[in-house]
Amino acid sequence: VSRDFLPRGSGIVTRRPLVLQLITAKTEYAEFLHCKGRKFTDFDEVRQEIEVETDRITGVNKGISSIPINLRIYSPHVLSLTLIDLPGITKVPVGDQPPDIEQQIREMIMQFISRENCLILAVTPANTDLANSDALKLAKEVDPQGLRTIGVITKLDLMDEGTDAREILENKLLPLRRGYIGVVNRSQKDIDGKKDIKAALLAERKFFLSHPAYRHMADRMGTPYLQKVLNQQLTNHIRDTLPAFRSKLQSQLLSIEHEVEVYKNFRPEDPTRKTKALLQMVQQFSVDFEKRIEGSGDQVDTLELSGGAKINRIFHERFPFELVKMEFNEKELRREISYAIKNIHGIRQVLPCLFTPDMAFEAIVKKQIVKLKGPCLKSVDLVMQELINTVKKCTKKLATYPRLCEETERIVAGYIREREEKTKDQVLLLIDIQVSYINTNHEDFIGFANAQQRSSQVNKSAVGNQVIRKGWLTINNIGIMKGGSKEYWFVLTAESLSWYKDDE
């Protein structure tokens, strides 16, 4: 920035992220987002404002906060860039800092550097081991390929005599796709002595030109070069990430436009608008619910069956399956028939006869018919459950109005439960009707007269043996030695499960 305005000192100085927007302009001044309209031309005042604003949120005892300070600097001496100055990682808490200060700072840094559309400036002092660099370690976590990480090596002038950072700066030690740039900043003594930044830049340039290890790459070192490279690389990076960013914005815009369409009639100042909007939402709920049951909904679920499709499945697959599951033991039934015939005759002699006595027949048949109650009522429960789930899905659109959502759900669910009781009564009534009168004249009734004729004509599997499900069946561990699995085509009917070597 070529201006001295960032707070410096020992310990943790940057305690809030500083979002620094550099904007090329004819005049030079600074502006904070938290005090809009006030232009700072004295950069000492900018430093004081940063310190005051930091203390306002974090307190004076070295606390930290992830709420950023936004600062814009307009100047003819800067290239258009946006920088975010983040705190350095603190290992040991000082003052009244929380014990998990390291974790807090780490999370704050990750929040910014994990964004795909930003470049990471990993700053490491030259007088420490590069392999122990916290900045590079964190950058590696979010950018393992090193596509958006730029290494910056500081304090080159403070290295022990006889040592240099030549291998690092030549990108040989820990290579980065975008390489490393070395800079020499002012020391605390220079700052205290009010050393001018222009003089500091000249001193930096002189250092690189005169140092034997860096002389050959002096043109690729220093703060002005860093500024130029950042501007160039950020421009290229923006160009690369712009298409994805644009498509993301377009999808967000479409969703917001859809939301705006929903709320277009909502005008708080007009009470009649409120009523109209409320009625529209309730009407929309009604339409959505009907569409989910009848089909042809706007939003078709491609992951699982729901609404009307699931109810259809309950009627045509689950109900027959429940009927098949009903206990039926032929030996037990024969014994019941035998007892029924004997009990009907009482003390009279049971003569061998061709016909089952009517009363015995009715007693046995009624007992079988009553068994239908269980599967029928279970199907009603399953349909009821699916209707309640459908109501919940339809009320999601009312989520922004919690009370309306809750009341709609409660009223509709209550009404469905009322119908459930009536439906169950109706189902039980139908079964009671079947039990109360057995129509032996019905064409489906097989009397003795045509029993033999019918049994020879009709295949046993065709009577009531309907197909419940067809599909592929995977059988695992075929043979103890072979292992593995194989797919078979299967057909599940009301009486049997068959599978075939292939789909023939």
Side-chain angles (χ1 to χ4, degrees):
V1 184
S2 304
R3 285 286 182 176
D4 184 10
F5 64 91
L6 286 176
R8 287 276 299 257
S10 58
I12 181 167
V13 178
T14 307
R15 294 183 287 129
R16 283 177 64 183
L18 177 72
V19 178
L20 181 62
Q21 289 176 283
L22 306 182
I23 299 162
T24 309
K26 290 179 181 177
T27 54
E28 190 173 60
Y29 64 93
E31 202 175 54
F32 285 95
L33 197 65
H34 62 267
C35 45
K36 268 188 172 180
R38 185 182 167 191
K39 294 182 179 181
F40 292 83
T41 49
D42 184 348
F43 282 84
D44 285 335
E45 285 183 19
V46 173
R47 186 192 303 111
Q48 286 166 16
E49 185 59 38
I50 292 171
E51 287 172 353
V52 168
E53 182 61 16
T54 301
D55 291 345
R56 190 175 66 82
I57 298 288
T58 61
V60 292
N61 289 323
K62 305 290 183 187
I64 66 155
S65 169
S66 59
I67 302 166
I69 297 170
N70 288 272
L71 172 63
R72 284 180 180 177
I73 292 182
Y74 299 84
S75 171
H77 309 299
V78 298
L79 292 167
S80 292
L81 277 175
T82 299
L83 297 156
I84 301 168
D85 183 23
L86 295 164
I89 290 189
T90 300
K91 302 287 184 186
V92 182
V94 295
D96 61 353
Q97 285 177 347
D100 64 336
I101 186 77
E102 183 183 355
Q103 186 60 30
Q104 281 190 32
I105 294 175
R106 183 188 166 86
E107 283 171 10
M108 187 198 300
I109 293 170
M110 293 299 268
Q111 184 185 329
F112 286 94
I113 66 170
S114 51
R115 294 175 190 169
E116 286 294 324
N117 58 341
C118 79
L119 291 177
I120 303 164
L121 211 60
V123 183
T124 308
N127 56 358
T128 60
D129 187 0
L130 194 68
N132 296 330
S133 168
D134 289 319
L136 284 172
K137 184 186 172 188
L138 282 177
K140 194 85 175 167
E141 283 181 34
V142 294
D143 180 32
Q145 304 294 321
L147 297 173
R148 51 194 186 87
T149 305
I150 301 170
V152 177
I153 307 297
T154 62
K155 302 185 181 177
L156 290 164
D157 55 330
L158 300 180
M159 293 184 78
D160 290 343
E161 284 188 33
T163 61
D164 59 59
R166 182 174 172 172
E167 275 200 343
I168 298 168
L169 295 172
E170 286 178 348
N171 209 15
K172 291 177 181 175
L173 190 65
L174 281 172
L176 285 176
R177 190 73 60 92
R178 295 176 185 265
Y180 293 86
I181 298 166
V183 295
V184 176
N185 292 325
R186 294 171 302 159
S187 65
Q188 193 62 45
K189 186 183 174 185
D190 292 337
I191 292 164
D192 294 340
K194 304 285 183 188
K195 185 176 181 179
D196 183 44
I197 286 184
K198 286 180 182 174
L201 290 173
L202 287 170
E204 180 188 51
R205 177 83 178 143
K206 186 181 175 185
F207 171 82
F208 284 115
L209 286 169
S210 59
H211 199 289
Y214 312 128
R215 195 182 298 148
H216 66 290
M217 51 179 159
D219 291 339
R220 290 181 283 113
M221 295 292 127
T223 307
Y225 181 74
L226 174 64
Q227 191 184 36
K228 185 180 162 188
V229 164
L230 279 183
N231 179 265
Q232 184 189 344
Q233 296 210 14
L234 189 65
T235 306
N236 294 340
H237 188 63
I238 288 167
R239 195 180 291 122
D240 294 340
T241 55
L242 205 58
F245 194 57
R246 186 166 178 246
S247 64
K248 186 183 173 186
L249 280 174
Q250 277 179 334
S251 65
Q252 282 181 343
L253 182 66
L254 284 170
S255 68
I256 289 166
E257 279 176 354
H258 180 69
E259 205 172 328
V260 167
E261 188 66 26
V262 173
Y263 296 119
K264 69 179 180 183
N265 294 312
F266 289 58
R267 288 183 185 167
E269 71 280 356
D270 185 356
T272 56
R273 286 277 183 182
K274 284 185 184 178
T275 310
K276 188 182 175 186
L278 181 74
L279 288 170
Q280 279 185 334
M281 282 191 291
V282 173
Q283 194 178 8
Q284 187 60 45
F285 165 81
S286 167
V287 170
D288 286 350
F289 184 76
E290 193 174 337
K291 280 185 176 179
R292 281 180 184 270
I293 300 299
E294 295 293 333
S296 73
D298 299 334
Q299 297 169 340
V300 179
D301 193 340
T302 56
L303 300 174
E304 61 176 358
L305 283 182
S306 61
K310 198 161 185 181
I311 292 169
N312 182 290
R313 186 176 178 176
I314 291 165
F315 289 149
H316 293 97
E317 292 184 17
R318 189 66 190 264
F319 182 57
F321 180 65
E322 291 297 326
L323 291 177
V324 171
K325 274 168 63 182
M326 282 194 325
E327 291 179 18
F328 175 75
N329 187 328
E330 195 173 335
K331 193 176 176 183
E332 184 71 29
L333 184 64
R334 285 181 182 277
R335 188 164 64 248
E336 285 179 11
I337 293 168
S338 170
Y339 285 146
I341 293 169
K342 287 172 183 174
N343 286 331
I344 280 161
H345 283 85
I347 61 168
R348 286 170 291 146
Q349 180 65 35
V350 181
L351 297 170
C353 59
L354 293 170
F355 301 103
T356 306
D358 291 352
M359 288 174 71
F361 170 75
E362 282 197 14
I364 296 299
V365 170
K366 283 177 181 180
K367 192 175 178 184
Q368 294 301 314
I369 292 171
V370 167
K371 284 185 179 178
L372 292 170
K373 285 184 180 180
C376 291
L377 293 177
K378 186 166 184 180
S379 294
V380 174
D381 288 335
L382 290 169
V383 171
M384 168 73 184
Q385 190 181 337
E386 186 50 37
L387 286 172
I388 296 292
N389 288 343
T390 305
V391 170
K392 285 181 178 173
K393 284 177 182 174
C394 291
T395 52
K396 278 183 182 175
K397 286 187 178 179
L398 309 176
T400 43
Y401 299 91
R403 282 186 65 191
L404 177 65
C405 179
E406 193 181 315
E407 279 299 296
T408 306
E409 203 171 302
R410 185 184 64 78
I411 292 165
V412 178
Y415 182 75
I416 291 171
R417 286 194 176 90
E418 279 177 31
R419 310 314 294 171
E420 178 195 15
E421 291 304 315
K422 291 184 180 179
T423 306
K424 283 184 175 177
D425 290 344
Q426 193 71 21
V427 168
L428 294 173
L429 178 63
L430 284 168
I431 292 169
D432 288 342
I433 290 167
Q434 298 298 327
V435 169
S436 65
Y437 178 72
I438 295 161
N439 181 12
T440 54
N441 290 323
H442 195 277
E443 60 181 13
D444 287 346
F445 184 82
I446 304 172
F448 177 76
N450 63 349
Q452 282 185 318
Q453 184 187 349
R454 287 285 293 273
S455 63
S456 61
Q457 287 176 355
V458 180
N459 187 348
K460 186 192 170 188
S461 63
V463 181
N465 187 22
Q466 64 194 91
V467 174
I468 293 172
R469 184 74 65 86
K470 291 179 181 180
W472 290 99
L473 176 77
T474 304
I475 299 180
N476 295 304
N477 299 326
I478 302 169
I480 298 168
M481 299 302 289
K482 289 181 184 176
S485 64
K486 190 173 180 183
E487 282 197 334
Y488 292 92
W489 179 257
F490 80 88
V491 178
L492 174 67
T493 68
E495 290 185 358
S496 63
L497 168 67
S498 315
W499 66 88
Y500 306 86
K501 284 187 179 179
D502 51 43
D503 54 359
E504 294 175 8

